[in-house]
Coordinates of all heavy atoms in Angstrom, one line a residue:
S1 N 22.1 -25.1 60.8 CA 21.4 -26.1 61.6 C 22.2 -26.7 62.7 O 23.4 -26.9 62.5 CB 20.9 -27.2 60.7 OG 20.1 -26.7 59.7
A2 N 21.6 -26.9 63.9 CA 22.3 -27.5 65.0 C 21.4 -28.6 65.6 O 20.2 -28.4 65.8 CB 22.7 -26.4 66.0
F3 N 22.1 -29.7 66.0 CA 21.4 -30.7 66.7 C 21.4 -30.4 68.2 O 22.5 -30.2 68.8 CB 22.1 -32.1 66.5 CG 21.6 -33.2 67.3 CD1 20.3 -33.7 67.1 CD2 22.4 -33.8 68.3 CE1 19.8 -34.7 67.9 CE2 21.9 -34.9 69.0 CZ 20.6 -35.3 68.8
V4 N 20.2 -30.5 68.8 CA 20.1 -30.2 70.3 C 19.6 -31.4 71.0 O 18.4 -31.7 70.9 CB 19.2 -29.0 70.6 CG1 19.1 -28.7 72.1 CG2 19.6 -27.8 69.8
P5 N 20.5 -32.2 71.6 CA 19.9 -33.4 72.3 C 19.1 -33.0 73.5 O 19.2 -31.9 74.0 CB 21.2 -34.1 72.8 CG 22.3 -33.0 72.8 CD 21.9 -32.1 71.7
A6 N 18.2 -33.9 73.9 CA 17.2 -33.7 74.9 C 17.9 -33.4 76.2 O 17.4 -32.6 77.1 CB 16.3 -34.8 75.1
K7 N 19.1 -33.9 76.4 CA 19.8 -33.7 77.7 C 20.3 -32.2 77.9 O 20.6 -31.8 79.0 CB 21.1 -34.6 77.8 CG 22.2 -34.3 76.8 CD 23.4 -35.2 76.9 CE 24.5 -34.9 76.0 NZ 25.0 -33.5 76.2
D8 N 20.3 -31.5 76.8 CA 20.8 -30.1 76.8 C 19.6 -29.1 76.7 O 19.9 -27.9 76.7 CB 21.8 -29.8 75.7 CG 23.1 -30.6 75.8 OD1 23.4 -30.9 77.0 OD2 23.7 -30.8 74.8
L9 N 18.4 -29.5 76.7 CA 17.3 -28.6 76.6 C 16.3 -28.8 77.7 O 15.9 -30.0 78.0 CB 16.5 -28.9 75.2 CG 15.5 -27.8 74.8 CD1 16.3 -26.6 74.3 CD2 14.6 -28.3 73.7
Y10 N 16.0 -27.8 78.4 CA 15.2 -27.8 79.6 C 13.9 -27.0 79.4 O 14.0 -25.8 79.0 CB 15.9 -27.4 80.8 CG 17.1 -28.3 81.2 CD1 18.3 -28.1 80.6 CD2 17.0 -29.3 82.1 CE1 19.4 -28.9 80.9 CE2 18.0 -30.1 82.5 CZ 19.2 -29.9 81.8 OH 20.3 -30.7 82.2
I11 N 12.8 -27.5 79.8 CA 11.5 -26.7 79.8 C 10.8 -27.0 81.1 O 11.1 -28.0 81.8 CB 10.6 -27.1 78.6 CG1 10.2 -28.6 78.7 CG2 11.2 -26.9 77.3 CD1 9.1 -29.0 77.7
P12 N 9.9 -26.1 81.5 CA 9.3 -26.2 82.8 C 8.4 -27.4 82.9 O 7.9 -27.9 81.8 CB 8.4 -24.9 82.9 CG 9.0 -24.0 82.0 CD 9.6 -24.8 80.8
Y13 N 8.1 -27.9 84.1 CA 7.2 -29.1 84.3 C 5.8 -28.8 83.8 O 5.2 -29.7 83.2 CB 7.2 -29.4 85.8 CG 6.2 -30.4 86.2 CD1 6.4 -31.8 86.1 CD2 4.9 -30.0 86.6 CE1 5.4 -32.7 86.4 CE2 3.9 -30.9 87.0 CZ 4.2 -32.2 86.9 OH 3.2 -33.2 87.2
F14 N 5.4 -27.6 83.9 CA 4.0 -27.3 83.6 C 3.8 -26.9 82.1 O 2.7 -26.6 81.7 CB 3.5 -26.1 84.4 CG 3.4 -26.4 85.9 CD1 4.4 -26.0 86.7 CD2 2.4 -27.2 86.4 CE1 4.4 -26.2 88.1 CE2 2.4 -27.5 87.8 CZ 3.4 -27.0 88.6
A15 N 4.8 -27.0 81.3 CA 4.7 -26.6 79.9 C 4.0 -27.7 79.1 O 4.3 -28.9 79.2 CB 6.1 -26.4 79.2
A16 N 3.0 -27.3 78.3 CA 2.2 -28.3 77.5 C 2.9 -28.5 76.2 O 2.8 -29.6 75.6 CB 0.8 -27.8 77.3
S17 N 3.7 -27.5 75.7 CA 4.4 -27.7 74.4 C 5.5 -26.6 74.4 O 5.6 -25.7 75.2 CB 3.5 -27.5 73.2 OG 3.0 -26.1 73.2
L18 N 6.4 -26.8 73.4 CA 7.5 -25.8 73.3 C 6.9 -24.4 72.9 O 7.5 -23.4 73.4 CB 8.5 -26.2 72.2 CG 9.4 -27.4 72.6 CD1 10.3 -27.8 71.4 CD2 10.3 -27.1 73.8
E19 N 5.9 -24.4 72.1 CA 5.3 -23.1 71.7 C 4.7 -22.3 72.9 O 4.7 -21.1 72.9 CB 4.2 -23.3 70.6 CG 4.7 -23.8 69.3 CD 5.2 -25.3 69.3 OE1 4.8 -26.0 70.3 OE2 5.8 -25.7 68.3
T20 N 4.2 -23.0 73.9 CA 3.5 -22.3 75.0 C 4.3 -22.3 76.2 O 3.9 -21.8 77.3 CB 2.1 -23.0 75.3 OG1 2.4 -24.4 75.6 CG2 1.2 -22.9 74.1
A21 N 5.5 -22.8 76.2 CA 6.4 -22.9 77.4 C 6.8 -21.5 77.8 O 7.1 -20.6 77.0 CB 7.6 -23.7 77.1
S22 N 6.8 -21.2 79.1 CA 7.1 -19.9 79.7 C 8.6 -19.6 79.5 O 9.1 -18.5 79.5 CB 6.7 -19.8 81.1 OG 7.3 -20.8 81.9
R23 N 9.4 -20.7 79.4 CA 10.9 -20.5 79.2 C 11.4 -21.8 78.6 O 10.9 -22.9 78.8 CB 11.6 -20.3 80.5 CG 11.4 -21.4 81.6 CD 12.2 -21.1 82.8 NE 12.0 -22.2 83.8 CZ 11.1 -22.2 84.8 NH1 10.2 -21.1 84.9 NH2 11.0 -23.2 85.6
I24 N 12.4 -21.7 77.8 CA 13.2 -22.8 77.2 C 14.7 -22.5 77.4 O 15.1 -21.4 77.0 CB 12.9 -22.9 75.7 CG1 11.4 -23.2 75.4 CG2 13.7 -24.1 75.1 CD1 11.0 -23.2 74.0
T25 N 15.4 -23.4 78.1 CA 16.8 -23.2 78.4 C 17.6 -24.2 77.6 O 17.4 -25.4 77.8 CB 17.0 -23.3 79.9 OG1 16.1 -22.4 80.6 CG2 18.4 -22.9 80.2
E26 N 18.6 -23.7 76.9 CA 19.5 -24.7 76.2 C 20.9 -24.5 76.8 O 21.4 -23.3 77.0 CB 19.6 -24.4 74.7 CG 20.5 -25.3 74.0 CD 20.8 -24.9 72.6 OE1 20.2 -23.9 72.1 OE2 21.6 -25.6 71.9
C27 N 21.6 -25.5 77.2 CA 22.9 -25.5 77.7 C 23.9 -25.6 76.5 O 23.9 -26.6 75.8 CB 23.2 -26.6 78.6 SG 22.2 -26.5 80.2

């Protein structure tokens, strides 16, 4: 398990949810 703070996770502006996001980027 890993904790991913919101500052390190990026999703597109138009994404309605993580499940339907066209991309999810983690730093």
Side-chain angles (χ1 to χ4, degrees):
S1 301
F3 172 68
V4 182
K7 68 179 181 64
D8 293 334
L9 195 74
Y10 295 85
I11 62 173
Y13 169 84
F14 298 100
S17 65
L18 289 178
E19 290 76 13
T20 59
S22 58
R23 61 179 178 267
I24 302 175
T25 308
E26 180 190 359
C27 295

